[in-house]
Amino acid sequence: MTRSTVFTPFDIVEGDRKKGVVLLADHARRDLPDEYGSLGLPASEFDRHIAYDIGVETVTRELAAALDAPAVLAGFSRLLIDPNRGEDDPTMIRQLYDGTVVPGNYPIAQEERERRLDRFYRPYHDAVGAMIASVAHASGKAPFIFSVHSFTPVMQGFVRPWHVGVLWDRDDRVARPLIDMLAKDKSLVVGDNEPYDGALRGDTMFRHAIVNGYAHALIEIRQDLIADRAGALAWAERLAPIVDAIDRRPDIHQVKMFGSRTGPV
């Protein structure tokens, strides 16, 4: 974890916006503004998945470089506020996370909740929306949105068998070819809406892709595979030609409304 009195809630990686691809990393960083200290937690907690998605920042930056595609990365720890949740989601600011009580979040006043929304959550989403709009304008077509996450090998005693998972709701334009191309490597166990379900109302994909009819997918890579730089680079190299091939499919850059399994859009 790093702390700074000058704190930016997002980071932009530049790329060729005419390609029509936007990369996102909601949980790339574990940073906190100096005023929040460590939220009352020992430093070791910021080495865990509860603070950020391990390995994702490197994967996203290297994938952006390989594709020459722009990316938006959240600059704050999910322990401060989780940008991959709707504003009405009770898990947006965690008070208890995987067995860890977060003292700086408990109790939390409504005024502090709004402060974090205004200072961190909303600026990140504004940056994501602005990047998507810019890519749409530059490319003259509907953007393809690709979000990078990672998951723990074990959760609550369950050993997760997947190396990678693809999360999606009803729009399978990206998810289906992505799963199929990953599965061509017989050494990989590929999850279809595993280890999580991709239908989460108000999350980043819902907010920026589903409601706009933009093709998208969220990929989850197992953290032990990308915890070091060599592993992260290997996964960026694996994903780059797959994402590029999907980007070239004729239906990817069309606006199509599929709706959501979570209810009316």
Side-chain angles (χ1 to χ4, degrees), residues 130-263:
M131 177 61 77
I132 290 170
S134 175
V135 168
H137 177 76
S139 65
K141 54 192 178 184
F144 158 28
I145 304 171
F146 190 71
S147 185
V148 184
H149 288 249
S150 66
F151 67 95
T152 58
V154 180
M155 177 60 76
Q156 296 177 345
F158 173 64
V159 178
R160 291 162 156 176
W162 312 282
H163 298 96
V164 62
V166 177
L167 310 191
W168 57 289
D169 193 339
R170 282 184 170 166
D171 184 350
D172 66 350
R173 286 177 290 170
V174 176
R176 187 52 53 201
L178 179 58
I179 292 169
D180 290 346
M181 283 189 266
L182 286 168
K184 288 181 180 179
D185 184 339
K186 300 305 180 184
S187 69
L188 294 180
V189 179
V190 181
D192 182 347
N193 270 325
E194 299 286 359
Y196 309 107
D197 192 322
L200 180 60
R201 193 169 192 84
D203 71 353
T204 301
M205 292 293 92
F206 183 92
R207 179 171 181 158
H208 295 286
I210 291 172
V211 300
N212 293 314
Y214 294 157
H216 62 281
L218 186 156
I219 193 167
E220 291 268 5
I221 307 168
R222 206 174 69 200
Q223 288 172 356
D224 59 311
L225 304 177
I226 57 173
D228 60 25
R229 182 167 180 80
L233 287 172
W235 269 91
E237 291 172 359
R238 184 198 301 270
L239 289 171
I242 294 175
V243 173
D244 184 60
I246 293 172
D247 182 47
R248 297 174 187 275
R249 293 170 65 95
D251 60 337
I252 291 300
H253 295 288
Q254 300 172 12
V255 173
K256 292 187 177 182
M257 305 304 294
F258 288 79
S260 170
R261 289 181 278 123
T262 67

Side-chain angles (χ1 to χ4, degrees), residues 54-131:
I54 295 165
V56 157
E57 181 173 9
T58 301
V59 172
T60 305
R61 290 184 182 278
E62 293 298 329
L63 182 58
L67 295 171
D68 188 19
V72 185
L73 293 79
F76 50 90
S77 172
R78 68 204 298 176
L79 289 173
L80 185 68
I81 190 167
D82 192 335
N84 195 37
R85 295 291 185 272
E87 290 196 16
D88 59 350
D89 192 315
T91 67
M92 185 176 63
I93 299 177
R94 299 264 193 164
Q95 298 178 341
L96 176 67
Y97 198 174
D98 195 19
T100 294
V101 174
V102 186
N105 293 346
Y106 183 81
I108 188 163
Q110 182 64 25
E111 293 80 4
E112 175 58 22
R113 181 181 182 278
E114 285 298 318
R115 186 167 181 263
R116 295 188 196 184
L117 282 166
D118 284 341
R119 289 190 60 200
F120 310 108
Y121 179 100
R122 288 170 183 149
Y124 170 68
H125 282 288
D126 288 347
V128 171
M131 177 61 77

